[in-house]
Amino acid sequence: MDRAITDARALLDTLVSSDWQELHVVSGETEIFIARADGGFNPMRAAANVSDGELPAAPATGPETSVMTQHVATLVHALPVGTDLKAGDTVATIRVLDTEEAIPAPVAGRITSLSADVGALLEYGMPILSIAQAA
């Protein structure tokens, strides 16, 4: 496990110190995808959805806003469905390597759905929850 963490940190360091937008590594049964915020779509997510017989989900549009993760991380906490909030309120907490990061609400409204369970591994760009915008 320590070796895997060391390798993941080395890959992150490589991406950060380069002008690369994304990094996709496949070795045996291990596959890792890392991307900057403006990097490409995660091919691992597409492959998982297609193998499950589903198409990749599009982000919610209109009166609902999806809150997406900007990192590969673990979900530590998320507010429950039905919680009213203001833009900027913390709606979830994720753990990236050994650091916790608060996820703010991009809009005011009410949480309508949760897309991940506490403890779940989140891929880059995965939805965490949806917010129905306040009128």
Side-chain angles (χ1 to χ4, degrees):
M1 182 66 148
D2 290 338
R3 175 70 181 171
I5 291 171
T6 301
D7 290 347
R9 285 185 174 146
L11 290 171
L12 285 169
D13 288 342
T14 300
L15 182 69
V16 168
S17 64
S18 72
D19 60 350
W20 298 348
Q21 294 301 304
E22 58 191 57
L23 178 65
H24 186 194
V25 178
V26 180
S27 177
E29 294 182 11
T30 303
E31 185 173 10
I32 299 171
F33 179 80
I34 306 169
R36 296 181 187 274
D38 54 349
F41 180 76
N42 184 340
M44 293 169 51
R45 185 165 181 208
N49 287 341
V50 171
S51 68
D52 291 340
E54 300 175 15
L55 296 175
T61 58
E64 285 207 9
T65 299
S66 289
V67 177
M68 314 292 240
T69 181
Q70 297 300 308
H71 307 283
V72 174
T74 303
L75 182 61
V76 175
H77 176 265
L79 293 177
V81 170
T83 303
D84 291 320
L85 43 92
K86 299 179 298 226
D89 286 353
T90 297
V91 294
T93 305
I94 59 172
R95 180 172 292 120
V96 180
L97 296 176
D98 297 328
T99 305
E100 288 192 2
E101 180 179 317
I103 306 297
V107 296
R110 176 175 289 163
I111 297 175
T112 57
S113 67
L114 298 175
S115 303
D117 296 322
V118 170
L121 178 62
L122 304 170
E123 295 285 341
Y124 169 81
M126 279 181 70
I128 300 171
L129 52 86
S130 292
I131 300 171
Q133 295 180 29

